[in-house]
Amino acid sequence: MLQNLKQSLIVSVWFVFLTFPLMVVRVNTMNQEVIWRWMNMVWVAIGSFILSYLWRYMLARQQVRKKVTDEGGEIRSKTQLLLEDMSFRYKAMGVILLAALVFPLVFDTYQSTIMISALIYVVLGLGLNISVGLAGLLDLGYVAFFGVGAYSYALLNHHFDLGFWISLPIGGILGCLFGIILGFPILRLRGDYLAIVTLGFGMIFKVVMENWDSLSFGPSGIANIDKPSFFGMDLNLANSTIYIYYIMIAMVIFTILVTNRLKNSRIGRAWIAMREDEIACVAMGIDIARTKLSAYALGAFWAGMVGVLFASKTTFINPASFTFMESAIILSIVVLGGMGSILGVIIGAFFLILLPEYMRAFSEYRMLAFGAAMVLMMIFRPQGIISNLRQTYQYKGLKDKTNNG
Amino acid sequence: MVEKKHKLLEVKGLTMDFGGLRAVDSVTLEVYEGDIAALIGPNGAGKTTFFNCITGIYNPTKGDILLHPKGLKTRRLNGLKPNKVTEMGLARTFQNIRLFPDMTVLENVMIGRHCRTNAGIFKAIVRSKSVRDEEQQIVASSYSLLEKVGLADFANEFSKNLPYGAQRRLEIARAMATDPFLLLLDEPAAGMNPQETSDLEKLICKISTEEGIAILLIEHDMKLVMNISNSIVVMEYGKKIAEGAPQEIKDNPKVIEAYLGEETDA
């Protein structure tokens, strides 16, 4: 405590010294005079002192927590306890669903559009969560699958006039296929090597789409893609936005349902086991090749599907929408939200997509804030906003023997 | 030795080279039904390499590994993937514990049931009656295995939070979940205190007699080996130097030399 205060004091004095020429002294060359801004010095001192102290306090807290968990104890935060309470969970879900349903009726088209893009990222995050969060396979080229879906709808619509609803599963399946195509060469890779190959895959997709003019119309992209039709009717902009919003809500619910079921199934357990220890996993009779491919394929499936929706929402796509930056954002959503946790990924997506939208005034500092948030997150909460809740199994026959089983 | 026992595992002239280094040199070994066989030898003798060859983690350079499941035809294990070997009924544990730390104790055992169940992706999404029944069965059988090794109370703890000895027992339970007829234990008593070791001894005997699973173990704890095993193979520098019942091994001059060094005239 006292030690921390002392350290913080030293830091603040040091900062005052460092920033003195920048923040305090100002030379007005016109009047040839020096302006001493002493107030700035005070602010620097107070600011750096508080930040430094906070930093130390958080680190100390982290240490204490780590010590407790190392000794076999467990710290369960209030949110975690709340999340484990089933009745609260259902109530919260009901409220959120209701809010989601009335949202486009209450707010205008602009708000709905922003919300649609956030929901797109929710689905992308949940998809990537399968391969990164559950199966532990780092994927830096995930946006390529998103692009596959978007381009498949754009091209099918352009050449064959196929509608949105037919293209939706086709996009998903094509994404799946590309997931398997990527999966085969990287079956034997791990860690850094895996990251590099997937990164390359994402790059290849973009470069091919930019240069294969006869297929993808190059950098100029494909325009005039049909919006989803509502029983054959053409809707005006406001209504079609609301319509897409509801499609997106349905898709998010569908994704949550499916990923949740997968997570707690035989396949999901195999994915997690593979993430934890590949050698032990294979020694326990799990086919690693098949498990890896299924993780990639299912992860890519959602990207493909939501890609179709993206194309129909923007009605125009070009390769510039599928840069590495997008992959990085989706990966950040998963890491920031909490690997393997569905709720965490959803919160992470809203956080990372909505915050920049509503803070447009500070858009110049976006990357700065983004980076700082990531660094702080990794130091203080490496497990993400919501750490993965463990699945507990009830076994009826033993309830009377154990009090927690 | 009792005659007419069914031979489960037959390893003939197994050789494993790593570049110019011959880690295992034409080792022959047989495990019979109901056996608790032990593989001993000084550090670096090639015991774990031998295990890794049998379980498919390495592909041996030479030799035959034949598995004779009861009532089924003989299978050659050379070059098979580890998961296939496990499917055939040969499970193992690891020298350095390899659990799935961020999964619960019960889930760890449930992973062992993976190769004996078959719910696919689509079935898992639809979650039909048959899948739910299968899940129930996985939980039930895993739970009863946990009871056998005395870990049922920890079923919903993370496996990383278990004490060391319990982690070893969990690894055995996980291996048993794959329904093996032969269990390979790689130094199950390493790092255990005397109390834990004697518990382990009882557990191994129980597995052998009650479950009818044959056991092949690598172990440095001589007391444990002499107490429970009925046949011992000794390895040194990749070669088999002795084989026989515990008493024979104890008196074998070659074994004594391997462990204590050559006797020299001062």
Side-chain angles (χ1 to χ4, degrees):
Chain A
M1 181 75 185
L2 212 64
Q3 179 71 19
N4 275 353
L5 280 173
K6 205 177 116 194
Q7 287 279 341
S8 305
L9 205 68
I10 295 171
V11 166
S12 90
V13 169
W14 178 238
F15 259 81
V16 165
F17 174 72
L18 277 182
T19 56
F20 188 80
L22 278 171
M23 303 294 289
V24 180
V25 184
R26 185 175 200 175
V27 182
N28 190 330
T29 44
M30 302 297 272
N31 305 339
Q32 300 217 324
E33 59 178 8
V34 177
I35 307 166
W36 299 92
R37 296 175 297 175
W38 294 112
M39 262 331 265
N40 274 359
M41 193 175 90
V42 177
W43 290 127
V44 166
I46 295 173
S48 57
F49 178 78
I50 291 174
L51 279 181
S52 161
Y53 185 74
L54 212 65
W55 174 264
R56 268 160 227 289
Y57 172 75
M58 295 287 271
L59 275 182
R61 212 174 76 149
Q62 175 104 349
Q63 283 291 316
V64 171
R65 280 170 160 248
K66 196 161 174 285
K67 210 169 163 190
V68 174
T69 40
D70 278 353
E71 281 161 7
E74 209 179 339
I75 293 175
R76 310 177 100 196
S77 60
K78 285 198 187 89
T79 47
Q80 219 164 359
L81 286 172
L82 212 56
L83 284 173
E84 277 172 21
D85 179 4
M86 273 325 242
S87 71
F88 172 79
R89 248 208 249 191
Y90 287 128
K91 271 181 216 153
M93 270 193 240
V95 169
I96 290 168
L97 190 66
L98 205 69
L101 286 179
V102 298
F103 185 86
L105 308 175
V106 176
F107 293 97
D108 58 6
T109 310
Y110 170 68
Q111 301 289 345
S112 304
T113 313
I114 292 173
M115 206 40 105
I116 291 171
S117 61
L119 291 174
I120 285 178
Y121 279 94
V122 168
V123 175
L124 285 173
L126 288 173
L128 186 63
N129 190 29
I130 293 179
S131 52
V132 175
L134 295 179
L137 304 164
L138 187 56
D139 189 347
L140 292 178
Y142 189 65
V143 79
F145 304 129
F146 186 48
V148 166
Y151 266 97
S152 60
Y153 175 52
L155 292 171
L156 286 173
N157 189 256
H158 185 87
H159 292 297
F160 307 108
D161 254 343
L162 280 189
F164 170 79
W165 289 107
I166 303 172
S167 304
L168 193 65
I170 295 178
I173 290 163
L174 279 175
C176 227
L177 275 179
F178 273 83
I180 294 171
I181 290 171
L182 171 66
F184 268 114
I186 59 180
L187 278 175
R188 295 162 155 272
L189 301 181
R190 254 178 250 183
D192 312 353
Y193 308 101
L194 185 69
I196 291 167
V197 173
T198 52
L199 178 69
F201 182 74
M203 297 289 185
I204 288 168
F205 176 80
K206 186 169 167 265
V207 170
V208 166
M209 284 299 142
E210 266 171 358
N211 294 291
W212 195 354
D213 283 350
S214 58
L215 176 82
S216 66
F217 303 97
S220 53
I222 304 170
N224 287 327
I225 304 165
D226 286 344
K227 282 186 176 289
S229 62
F230 185 65
F231 298 113
M233 282 186 284
D234 280 328
L235 302 165
N236 64 15
L237 184 67
N239 281 342
S240 88
T241 306
I242 294 176
Y243 183 45
I244 291 178
Y245 175 86
Y246 282 125
I247 295 175
M248 211 50 234
I249 289 281
M251 207 141 137
V252 167
I253 293 173
F254 181 54
T255 316
I256 293 172
L257 205 79
V258 170
T259 45
N260 191 39
R261 286 198 163 180
L262 281 174
K263 199 176 132 189
N264 297 329
S265 72
R266 172 173 172 268
I267 303 288
R269 280 195 302 273
W271 285 337
I272 299 173
M274 186 169 74
R275 175 189 76 192
E276 299 287 305
D277 191 327
E278 216 172 295
I279 295 211
C281 183
V282 70
M284 287 305 115
I286 290 170
D287 189 340
I288 287 284
R290 192 189 265 185
T291 312
K292 267 192 188 171
L293 284 181
S294 68
Y296 265 111
L298 274 167
F301 176 77
W302 302 109
M305 276 231 302
V306 86
V308 171
L309 193 125
F310 174 76
S312 78
K313 176 207 159 210
T314 53
T315 69
F316 165 76
I317 55 164
N318 70 348
S321 309
F322 309 108
T323 56
F324 169 67
M325 198 55 217
E326 297 299 311
S327 292
I329 288 179
I330 304 166
L331 188 65
S332 315
I333 286 172
V334 177
V335 174
L336 201 76
M339 296 236 241
S341 152
I342 290 174
L343 180 65
V345 169
I346 295 169
I347 293 174
F350 279 114
F351 188 73
L352 281 186
I353 304 304
L354 291 186
L355 220 56
E357 282 300 335
Y358 289 120
M359 307 261 269
R360 282 219 173 266
F362 307 102
S363 59
E364 279 173 51
Y365 304 106
R366 187 190 291 183
M367 288 329 272
L368 193 71
F370 207 74
M374 274 293 173
V375 171
L376 289 176
M377 200 69 190
M378 286 304 109
I379 293 171
F380 293 114
R381 248 193 114 70
Q383 73 273 43
I385 297 173
I386 306 280
S387 55
N388 200 4
L389 291 178
R390 59 194 190 179
Q391 170 79 5
T392 52
Y393 291 89
Q394 310 287 328
Y395 181 50
K396 293 182 198 99
L398 279 117
K399 241 179 188 165
D400 41 351
K401 287 183 201 168
T402 55
N403 44 17
N404 62 344
Chain B
M1 281 303 236
V2 186
E3 285 299 309
K4 280 283 174 194
K5 271 215 285 190
H6 183 81
K7 194 191 285 172
L8 291 177
L9 175 73
E10 187 178 9
V11 182
K12 286 194 282 200
L14 188 82
T15 303
M16 179 76 212
D17 290 339
F18 293 109
L21 179 81
R22 181 153 288 188
V24 177
D25 192 356
S26 46
V27 173
T28 299
L29 181 147
E30 281 155 2
V31 180
Y32 292 86
E33 195 190 354
D35 258 4
I36 300 182
L39 183 60
I40 62 171
N43 287 326
K47 306 181 295 291
T48 299
T49 308
F50 182 77
F51 260 36
N52 284 344
C53 287
I54 297 176
T55 51
I57 290 175
Y58 299 146
N59 193 0
T61 319
K62 253 193 284 181
D64 287 309
I65 307 161
L66 301 170
L67 200 63
H68 308 283
K70 244 186 163 183
L72 292 167
K73 66 173 196 270
T74 300
R75 292 293 303 263
R76 191 164 176 268
L77 297 184
N78 295 44
L80 279 183
K81 286 217 176 107
N83 55 312
K84 290 285 164 206
V85 175
T86 310
E87 260 172 52
M88 256 160 234
L90 204 152
R92 72 168 294 178
T93 65
F94 293 90
Q95 181 175 3
N96 41 350
I97 301 175
R98 298 192 91 124
L99 289 169
F100 307 120
D102 271 324
M103 295 175 90
T104 63
V105 169
L106 188 65
E107 278 177 313
N108 265 279
V109 183
M110 286 166 85
I111 286 294
R113 298 298 304 162
H114 187 95
C115 61
R116 304 288 172 221
T117 47
N118 47 30
I121 293 166
F122 293 103
K123 279 185 174 172
I125 294 170
V126 179
R127 205 175 272 185
S128 61
K129 180 92 173 61
S130 67
V131 173
R132 272 176 289 152
D133 287 349
E134 193 183 85
E135 280 285 299
Q136 267 302 310
Q137 248 183 344
I138 295 174
V139 173
S141 56
S142 306
Y143 225 117
S144 70
L145 271 172
L146 282 182
E147 283 200 313
K148 269 174 204 153
V149 299
L151 290 173
D153 287 344
F154 301 110
N156 285 327
E157 293 290 330
F158 280 121
S159 65
K160 63 182 173 192
N161 291 344
L162 285 186
Y164 187 83
Q167 292 196 2
R168 287 253 178 235
R169 276 182 289 150
L170 177 56
E171 236 197 348
I172 294 175
R174 188 180 65 177
M176 279 168 66
T178 64
D179 276 350
F181 58 80
L182 177 58
L183 192 58
L184 305 183
L185 305 175
D186 197 346
E187 293 199 25
M192 281 188 170
N193 63 32
Q195 178 58 41
E196 285 172 326
T197 308
S198 93
D199 287 347
L200 179 79
E201 198 180 308
K202 278 176 213 140
L203 179 65
I204 293 175
C205 290
K206 202 167 99 178
I207 293 170
S208 169
T209 52
E210 286 179 18
E211 311 288 322
I213 299 172
I215 288 165
L216 173 61
L217 75 158
I218 294 176
E219 189 48 71
H220 281 300
D221 188 325
M222 281 310 134
K223 192 166 148 260
L224 178 75
V225 170
M226 295 300 162
N227 278 350
I228 62 173
S229 58
N230 51 10
S231 79
I232 297 177
V233 169
V234 189
M235 277 177 79
E236 194 197 13
Y237 298 122
K239 288 196 178 83
K240 184 167 86 174
I241 57 169
E243 184 177 20
Q247 201 50 51
E248 297 168 41
I249 295 295
K250 245 186 213 169
D251 304 333
N252 190 319
K254 267 189 177 167
V255 178
I256 296 167
E257 191 189 304
Y259 271 93
L260 299 177
E262 210 171 331
E263 221 176 306
T264 49
D265 298 317

